[in-house]
Amino acid sequence: MSKTKNIDRTRAQESTNAIEKLYISMRHLFSRGFYKPMGISGEALRKSLLLLRPEIYGSIAEERTELDGLIYVIERLPEGIEECQFINLTADEGYKNSHFEAIIPPKRRRNCYRIDKDQMNIEITRGRSEIYDILTHLTFLFVESHKIQERVSLNEGEDFIREWKYLEDVVLHQKTISEKEKEVLIVHLGNILGRTYEEVSGLCQIFSSEENPLKFFNLIYWLGKLAINEVFKNKKRTITFSSVLIEEIGHHIYGEIWANDIKKVLKENILLERPIHIISANMHSVLNSIYAQGALQEEAKNYKGFELYQLLSNSDSKPLQKKVKDYASENGLIYVKDTSGTNINVQIIDTDKINFNVSPFKKENSIEENAVIIVMDYAFGEQAFETMDELLKPYGNKKDKIHLDVKSVSIMGKAGILEGGKGDIMIPSAHIFEGTAGNYPFENELSKEDLEGFGVQVFDGSMISVLGTSLQNKDLLKFFHDSTWNVIGLEMEGAHYQKAIQSASKIRGNISENVKVRYAYYASDNPLETGATLASGGLGMTGVTPTYAITQRILEQIL
């Protein structure tokens, strides 16, 4: 009888297993209705995250506090969440009509409400991906808080190190401190976090604001304080899911309202039965590409090529941006602000009303079409299926329903690149859905050759649609890149969009089966490079060239 072989699992296999466990654990906890992240119920989630050690969370598995990951997470969670023992994830349950003031995180559009000193409510209107995103971020935050607790506690919580007492005195009494006292506090904070003076000082500047110059000190104190309360006073932090959220999730409640709002505007403006081109992109690139030259004719003489768009991308160009928006409104653009809760705003462009004499585009491909362009802001993960699926459905009841004449769907997005660097372009030929065997090959109307000549590198191949921004590590990504999957990048929406387009065109007959699809992504980060993950900061001006290069090619093919 042959001996059983002991097969060593690779880090990539362990990581795949950890992601699967994370996914199952989160769905289980959601169905359960509540859990304690640092208790027994949250153990599977914690262990899986520590086994995976996502690149974006850096040194989560080490004793020292992870600083870049902390910045990334705090920018995506509501201010003051570190002070709250109870975090409640809800649907849109009418808080906007109450006296509670909405808190919107700087890098995620979601409404959050501080109910009292101990409770934060977070509205979930963008589907399961938003829940996975929040739960992984909170797990990271709580793991880091327990590192602080372990470094400052003495004698089973009977006493604390002097650096902690000094920090507590400043935070609780909201003391005004001199620059010298602040530097002393930074030294103490370095000891608490296991980090250098320079690292802590840099972070204090990043977090500091005019209203709250000591924000970083408050953050670290309350993270540590709540962990101390958990360990020594048994005051466990608890995450709860409201019953309305549990009932609503996955039923396209918000997507259906959103899609019907758009179709209603199309009908009111007699555009519903015209040929339609859908573009998923940001809210400025299509607008500026079509209208900036006509709106800013003087500036256009001095700024050639993409220089005009760089000018408009400056934070101090608000008056010029307004000029472009006003001009666009007079020349065929209708802005549909979202009221459904999806947080996806929309622009509807009637190409008949564009003045092509002062536009960089010529109306050649759609002379007879009188086409309408619908530009929808970025969806988030699984929300891409919900919104696209609803948008492609016919409008009206059974008797007088109108099928949309959708000619093309174009997706431009940000993605992590596995070869190349920030600002480079990826042209996918298929989307692979992470954690499943699901794969979606398609005929991309955009090719690698279309995007060459703009001064950035262009790659083509498969893209992987991941479950969340924070659920990858180098080993797993290296496997996808080096194996026959030939993955060039990772993003969160591609497979979901393609699933909706395929079912609408090939199975349900909601739109023509000859609908053209275009996918192109520009690189926001390279998770295989140390210091080049999403936690290392945004693209800045590097993003202007790839964004407008892709937009230009999409519009050229449409017009």
Side-chain angles (χ1 to χ4, degrees):
M1 189 175 160
S2 62
K3 284 184 181 178
T4 308
K5 283 184 183 175
N6 283 326
I7 300 168
D8 291 330
R9 291 195 306 168
T10 65
R11 263 291 284 149
Q13 287 169 324
E14 282 179 354
S15 303
T16 303
N17 199 28
I19 289 173
E20 212 167 298
K21 278 185 179 171
L22 274 162
Y23 189 49
I24 293 163
S25 299
M26 288 191 278
R27 293 194 79 142
H28 163 69
L29 294 169
F30 176 64
S31 302
R32 185 175 185 242
F34 76 97
Y35 79 105
K36 292 171 182 173
M38 300 310 287
I40 293 165
S41 51
E43 192 174 14
L45 202 52
R46 286 197 314 276
K47 280 184 172 175
S48 300
L49 204 63
L50 289 166
L51 177 64
L52 181 63
R53 297 199 295 278
E55 223 52 49
I56 215 158
Y57 293 155
S59 55
I60 185 173
E62 298 172 25
E63 279 184 28
R64 60 189 185 143
T65 303
E66 165 56 32
L67 300 183
D68 284 342
L70 196 60
I71 298 169
Y72 182 82
V73 164
I74 290 298
E75 285 179 335
R76 284 154 179 81
L77 292 173
E79 190 159 343
I81 198 162
E82 69 279 359
E83 299 172 21
C84 297
Q85 185 187 343
F86 304 101
I87 295 159
N88 193 9
L89 272 55
T90 73
D92 180 354
E93 297 175 25
Y95 294 108
K96 59 176 173 281
N97 303 321
S98 68
H99 71 278
F100 297 115
E101 197 176 325
I103 305 165
I104 300 167
K107 296 286 177 77
R108 277 282 182 269
R109 289 168 305 190
R110 53 172 73 111
N111 291 332
C112 310
Y113 301 91
R114 184 76 178 263
I115 305 303
D116 56 34
K117 71 180 182 66
D118 293 319
Q119 183 178 332
M120 180 73 76
N121 281 16
I122 302 175
E123 261 182 20
I124 305 291
T125 55
R126 308 179 80 175
R128 286 195 188 92
S129 296
E130 192 167 21
I131 295 172
Y132 306 148
D133 193 52
I134 290 167
L135 294 190
T136 48
H137 289 344
L138 288 173
T139 305
F140 163 78
L141 204 61
F142 296 163
V143 166
E144 293 299 317
S145 76
H146 275 246
K147 289 183 192 175
I148 297 166
Q149 174 270 313
E150 284 165 11
R151 292 182 75 96
V152 302
S153 304
L154 300 170
N155 306 329
E156 297 292 314
E158 294 293 320
D159 200 6
F160 299 93
I161 62 172
R162 74 184 193 90
E163 290 92 339
W164 178 256
K165 291 175 184 174
Y166 190 95
L167 175 66
E168 185 169 56
D169 187 44
V170 171
V171 171
L172 289 186
H173 297 104
Q174 295 185 331
K175 286 187 172 181
T176 305
I177 56 174
S178 66
E179 201 57 39
K180 190 177 179 184
E181 287 171 319
K182 186 179 175 183
E183 288 180 355
V184 171
L185 195 52
I186 290 170
V187 172
H188 289 336
L189 213 54
N191 290 336
I192 290 168
L193 302 176
R195 291 291 190 166
T196 66
Y197 173 85
E198 191 178 15
E199 286 173 322
V200 177
S201 179
L203 232 71
C204 288
Q205 286 179 328
I206 290 168
F207 278 100
S208 178
S209 63
E210 272 185 46
E211 311 83 60
N212 193 356
L214 300 181
K215 184 178 175 179
F216 185 58
F217 303 116
N218 287 305
L219 172 69
I220 297 303
Y221 172 73
W222 285 109
L223 281 176
K225 180 65 178 169
L226 263 67
I228 288 165
N229 288 348
E230 272 196 304
V231 174
F232 302 115
K233 296 183 181 176
N234 205 29
K235 290 184 176 178
K236 300 286 185 196
R237 281 173 284 198
T238 306
I239 294 174
T240 311
F241 307 94
S242 78
S243 52
V244 178
L245 178 65
I246 293 168
E247 284 168 23
E248 281 189 2
I249 209 81
H251 292 300
H252 294 200
I253 307 286
Y254 303 103
E256 186 178 9
I257 299 166
W258 172 82
N260 283 335
D261 286 347
I262 296 162
K263 291 167 196 172
K264 189 181 172 196
V265 173
L266 287 169
K267 191 174 183 182
E268 285 168 356
N269 289 274
I270 318 164
L271 301 172
L272 190 62
E273 297 185 56
R274 297 252 292 267
I276 290 170
H277 297 270
I278 298 167
I279 303 175
S280 170
N282 52 57
M283 285 283 97
H284 59 80
S285 60
V286 176
L287 168 81
N288 290 341
S289 295
I290 292 174
Y291 294 110
Q293 215 165 289
L296 309 172
Q297 292 186 38
E298 283 304 308
E299 288 83 356
K301 289 173 188 172
N302 303 320
Y303 294 90
K304 301 297 174 194
F306 292 168
E307 288 175 2
L308 185 62
Y309 308 135
Q310 281 181 327
L311 175 69
L312 283 163
S313 300
N314 282 329
S315 53
D316 55 0
S317 293
K318 293 274 188 291
L320 292 178
Q321 291 166 13
K322 187 180 184 306
K323 208 172 169 183
V324 175
K325 284 175 186 171
D326 291 344
Y327 173 82
S329 298
E330 293 161 12
N331 289 269
L333 185 136
I334 303 161
Y335 182 65
V336 185
K337 186 164 175 59
D338 176 61
T339 54
S340 68
T342 59
N343 281 309
I344 298 176
N345 296 319
V346 168
Q347 295 159 343
I348 296 170
I349 300 168
D350 181 354
T351 60
D352 266 6
K353 293 181 179 174
I354 297 170
N355 182 357
F356 285 99
N357 296 324
V358 284
S359 171
F361 303 99
K362 289 182 172 65
K363 199 173 181 184
E364 291 173 354
N365 296 352
S366 58
I367 291 171
E368 302 301 319
E369 268 195 3
N370 307 323
V372 174
I373 299 171
I374 296 174
V375 184
M376 58 182 279
D377 207 346
Y378 296 126
F380 187 72
E382 283 187 23
Q383 188 192 31
F385 177 76
E386 176 178 337
T387 48
M388 189 60 73
D389 186 54
E390 292 297 332
L391 187 56
L392 299 179
K393 282 181 183 175
Y395 183 60
N397 54 38
K398 280 185 180 178
K399 282 183 183 176
D400 57 353
K401 67 178 177 184
I402 301 165
H403 283 78
L404 273 61
D405 183 13
V406 178
K407 297 290 184 185
S408 74
V409 182
S410 305
I411 312 295
M412 175 179 77
K414 282 187 289 190
I417 196 166
L418 301 182
E419 202 177 313
K422 283 187 179 185
D424 288 341
I425 291 173
M426 290 154 278
I427 307 292
S429 54
H431 286 110
I432 301 153
F433 191 27
E434 182 185 46
T436 71
N439 53 83
Y440 302 89
F442 51 86
E443 195 69 46
N444 196 341
E445 293 294 312
L446 291 171
S447 67
K448 186 179 176 180
E449 291 70 37
D450 289 332
L451 275 303
E452 284 173 341
F454 287 100
V456 293
Q457 291 191 86
V458 187
F459 301 89
D460 57 1
S462 306
M463 301 265 308
I464 184 161
S465 295
V466 297
L467 291 168
T469 50
S470 47
L471 295 180
Q472 299 83 44
N473 64 24
K474 281 184 181 176
D475 304 283
L476 188 61
L477 296 175
K478 214 167 175 356
F479 162 74
F480 277 118
H481 180 253
D482 297 344
S483 70
T484 50
W485 282 112
N486 182 31
V487 169
I488 53 168
L490 59 147
E491 48 75 59
M492 281 182 67
E493 292 79 31
H496 301 297
Y497 275 132
Q498 190 57 26
K499 204 164 33 171
I501 295 163
Q502 278 182 200
S503 66
S505 60
K506 303 272 195 291
I507 301 168
R508 301 165 81 176
N510 288 339
I511 60 171
S512 165
E513 61 177 33
N514 298 319
V515 64
K516 292 180 176 179
V517 292
R518 303 179 188 91
Y519 287 90
Y521 299 90
Y522 56 95
S524 55
D525 63 302
N526 184 334
L528 287 179
E529 275 182 27
T530 303
T533 66
L534 278 172
S536 66
L539 272 167
M541 283 295 170
T542 318
V544 173
T545 299
T547 302
Y548 282 92
I550 295 167
T551 307
Q552 186 175 309
R553 289 295 182 251
I554 289 171
L555 289 172
E556 278 172 1
Q557 288 195 7
I558 290 171
L559 296 167

